[in-house]
Amino acid sequence: MADPLSFYLDDKAQPGTGSNFDVDYVLHYKLPTTSVKEKEEAEAAFIQLINALSAVGFATEVRPGGKSSLLVFTKIASEKLLTSQVYRYRIQDWLFGVRTSAPNQDLSKYLEEEPVSEAERLRLTYLLITKSKNEGGAGITAKMGKWKYVDSIFPLHDHAFNRRWIKAWSGKYFLDEEDLNRIRDKFGERVAFYFAFLQAYFAFLLFPAAFGFAAWLILGKFSWFYAVVNSLWSVVFFEHWKTKEVDLAVRWGVRGVSRIQHPRPQFQFERETQDPVTGEIVRVYSPFKRLSRQLLQIPFALACVVVLGGLIVSCFSIEVFITEIYTGPFKQYLTFLPTVLLTIFMPTFSGLLTNLAEQLTKAENYETHDAHQASFIEKIFVLNFITSYLPIFLTAFVYVPFGKLLVPYLDVFKVTAQSFTTMEKPVTKSWEINPDRLTKQVIYFTVTAQIVNFLTEVIVPYAKRKVFKKVQEVQSEFSGNGHELQIKDHPDEADFLKRVRNEAELDEYDVTVDYREMVVQFGYLSLFSVIWPLAACSFLVNNWVEARSDAMKIAIGSQRPVPWRADSIGPWLNSLGFLSWLGSITSAALVYLFNKHDINPDGTPWDISGWALLLSILFAEHIYFAVQLVVRSLVQKLDNPGLQKERAERYAMRKKLLEQTFGSHGHDADLTEEAQGPGHVSSGEKITREALEEEARVNATRTPEQLFWLRQRGAAETIEIGRGLIAAVSTNLTP
């Protein structure tokens, strides 16, 4: 396959993109190249992998993956098994209140009325691969335990759809409901909710963009009227989206799906006990232990403030000194010093703190994926709040009102600068407030930083992949192929396999990154647009590009995401509410500080009459709001007799219906017999010349897609071929 980007830009069809050969998922299996012992371990794990997949109903094929890796292709061998899984999970949806009625037991008629979408098929297939054996799955979790050599599990892109998708969106200003429905059917509700949110946010930006432009022309900066309107807009948008996401959840049939939690394989329970209300056996982890670990979020937040805040304050002080006080030699070069320091240390410190946040979240030991992800997002929001907003807060609430009191503390830089120069005259001048600093900062974060983010998010990763691929090719030429598999693909599969190998090397798509970007942007608009009313105009243009660039990122820059379901944007909704609330306070403070002074105060706080009283009132008022929210949250979590009765009745109904519908585990056992693979030859079957000639005649009439699944006859031959490929790795390995 040619370069993916050229495929989307070229009108001609590209080889290898027309069919996915009926593949459901690909497991990228990395092989060790360091020792014979690890190679033997990987071979044994590979055999377990194929057997585990075959046991639950998958047909498998293995091919070389390039370098030292394998590609294990899987598909559900029996459509009856898929139908059974669809019916089982739709029954579960009904029992949990996601569906309003139970599925019809006449499956053929029912599936005609409500066919299985591609996203639903891929989601259920992924669950069958990853859920534990106790729940009827293969229990395969990438990069964990005995599956540590499974590097990734991913579905293949539908490049024909992706191409139509990109071309259609490139000529549209607004996305319609049909666009979102197509995204939902291909990538699941979780991704569809992100694009729905982005579209709703983009549409709502039309008003602040127009009003902000008018305010910039007529009212100017720090207008109390603009601040009031902007705060009202943020509240209206927040409340609108809360209603909109409920509407989408109902129409997409996922209302309440968040109640169906997927267990984390990493969850470490202390004991199993019987639920006193429902009687079911549940796994328990001490809530006091989890609470003690959750309290570590307080020192974590303080560490973020100290580390990131200290770095930002230091660079801010250096920048103020160099740009506004220092007059010595090399000033034109030294002005870049704060930027260089932030560029070097900010990603490093942010990465370390992000890893710390991930470890803290793992230590909290949540039972479900959703709870784990929500806790992690809370910590990430703290990091992004500091890195995104602290520089502007420093300028607005420290630099301007307290400048003359704090500048004398910058003498340490003056002494340092004087010691590095031989000039007898002073290398500094008297300090005066720069009235344009605050506005320039906001312009940077709302315009320049958006452009830089686009480059680092889309262009830089694409360029890095191209460069790394070229470097690997050069290294392979110089080092030889001693540790690499010799790839000789069948001509009918060569283009397809080349494309799969490219997709296997891509990063996994994480919608959290895109949500984070939009929420931070909303914060700039809510908190600081009163400084520069044109911010919404910049965001309007940026978000039109953002929707298309995110689509390109999914299509060519990432592996196809697993189509998970969702009924909202998750924890980011709380972040939006917090920023909307904080924006009303920040806007009022900015207008109070700067409106009377025409952006030119003298740097002393003595003329700010009544600010302490006003701040005290706001602080006390919003502490009340915070306590109210906490109390409300705690009350909602309390279990009362009515809820206990509902839980008991629902559990009894689920248990009874499942027993009546499915009976014992033997129901699905018969459906997995077809997992031996198309063309499977049993151990007792005799292979004759006539049988081979008949097979050759039949194969001559089959398509390449059908032949792809006939090259290996069942799990036994897949294991044999895989072991041969593993043996092809250089035997010159250290024992």
Side-chain angles (χ1 to χ4, degrees), residues 308 310-324 326 330-347 391 413 437 441 444:
L308 297 178
L311 176 63
I312 292 173
V313 169
S314 299
C315 292
F316 180 82
S317 302
I318 295 173
E319 181 188 8
V320 170
F321 175 79
I322 293 175
T323 58
E324 301 180 18
Y326 181 72
F330 307 112
K331 177 176 180 176
Q332 66 271 30
Y333 305 110
L334 291 175
T335 52
F336 296 103
L337 179 60
T339 302
V340 172
L341 293 176
L342 285 174
T343 303
I344 294 174
F345 292 108
M346 184 62 78
F413 300 120
R437 166 177 284 275
Q441 266 192 314
Y444 168 79

Side-chain angles (χ1 to χ4, degrees), residues 300-301 304 308 377-387:
F300 171 77
C304 293
L308 297 178
I377 287 175
E378 290 175 358
K379 299 176 180 66
I380 293 300
F381 180 72
V382 173
L383 286 173
N384 283 272
F385 187 91
I386 295 172
T387 56

Side-chain angles (χ1 to χ4, degrees), residues 364-662:
E364 292 167 7
N365 194 28
Y366 290 100
E367 185 176 3
T368 64
H369 285 286
D370 288 349
H372 177 87
Q373 187 70 5
S375 180
F376 181 67
I377 287 175
E378 290 175 358
K379 299 176 180 66
I380 293 300
F381 180 72
V382 173
L383 286 173
N384 283 272
F385 187 91
I386 295 172
T387 56
S388 301
Y389 307 136
L390 184 58
I392 302 178
F393 274 115
L394 284 174
T395 300
F397 300 112
V398 177
Y399 169 82
V400 173
F402 301 99
K404 286 189 176 180
L405 298 180
L406 298 176
V407 162
Y409 293 96
L410 300 181
D411 283 346
V412 62
F413 300 120
K414 177 180 178 180
V415 173
T416 304
Q418 195 70 47
S419 65
F420 280 97
T421 180
T422 58
M423 300 173 60
E424 295 182 358
K425 63 179 182 179
V427 294
T428 60
K429 63 179 181 179
S430 59
W431 176 80
E432 293 181 358
I433 286 181
N434 180 2
D436 297 324
R437 166 177 284 275
L438 185 57
T439 302
K440 289 180 178 179
Q441 266 192 314
V442 173
I443 293 175
Y444 168 79
F445 282 107
T446 57
V447 180
T448 309
Q450 302 293 315
I451 298 174
V452 172
N453 183 71
F454 170 77
L455 295 175
T456 56
E457 184 180 11
V458 179
I459 305 300
V460 173
Y462 176 77
K464 284 172 60 179
R465 285 195 302 272
K466 298 288 288 185
V467 172
F468 287 165
K469 187 174 182 180
K470 190 65 177 178
V471 170
Q472 289 174 352
E473 292 175 356
V474 173
Q475 288 178 342
S476 178
E477 292 177 1
F478 279 100
S479 62
N481 298 322
H483 293 288
E484 297 182 5
L485 295 174
Q486 299 299 316
I487 300 176
K488 296 180 181 179
D489 296 327
H490 191 281
D492 291 341
E493 306 170 2
D495 292 328
F496 167 70
L497 292 176
K498 183 178 180 181
R499 193 237 309 173
V500 176
R501 292 180 187 115
N502 288 335
E503 291 187 24
E505 299 299 328
L506 297 175
D507 296 327
E508 295 181 8
Y509 173 70
D510 185 6
V511 72
T512 300
V513 175
D514 292 330
Y515 273 128
R516 179 179 62 189
E517 183 181 347
M518 287 298 102
V519 170
V520 168
Q521 185 192 102
F522 176 81
Y524 284 126
L525 186 60
S526 179
L527 272 63
F528 305 118
S529 65
V530 70
I531 300 172
W532 192 57
L534 291 179
C537 298
S538 171
F539 293 155
L540 186 68
V541 175
N542 174 84
N543 290 357
W544 188 91
V545 177
E546 182 72 22
R548 281 76 189 165
S549 66
D550 287 341
M552 288 292 291
K553 181 171 64 175
I554 294 175
I556 69 172
S558 309
Q559 294 176 353
R560 181 174 179 174
V562 176
W564 292 116
R565 295 189 297 178
D567 56 4
S568 70
I569 63 173
W572 296 111
L573 186 66
N574 295 330
S575 301
L576 287 175
F578 171 76
L579 291 173
S580 177
W581 165 78
L582 186 62
S584 62
I585 299 174
T586 305
S587 297
L590 288 170
V591 170
Y592 177 80
L593 281 173
F594 294 96
N595 183 265
K596 296 180 181 179
H597 298 291
D598 194 22
I599 330 174
N600 195 24
D602 61 359
T604 58
W606 317 122
D607 59 342
I608 306 178
S609 58
W611 70 272
L613 177 62
L614 177 61
L615 187 60
S616 299
I617 294 173
L618 289 174
F619 182 80
E621 178 185 9
H622 290 91
I623 283 292
Y624 163 77
F625 288 140
V627 172
Q628 183 186 46
L629 288 175
V630 171
V631 172
R632 183 185 304 166
S633 176
L634 292 175
V635 170
Q636 290 176 348
K637 293 180 180 179
L638 293 178
D639 210 358
N640 56 55
L643 293 176
Q644 292 178 353
K645 180 180 178 181
E646 181 184 29
R647 286 173 54 206
E649 292 175 347
R650 282 186 171 274
Y651 175 74
M653 179 182 64
R654 291 198 299 268
K655 183 177 180 181
K656 180 179 179 180
L657 183 58
L658 288 174
E659 289 176 350
Q660 292 176 345
T661 304
F662 297 107

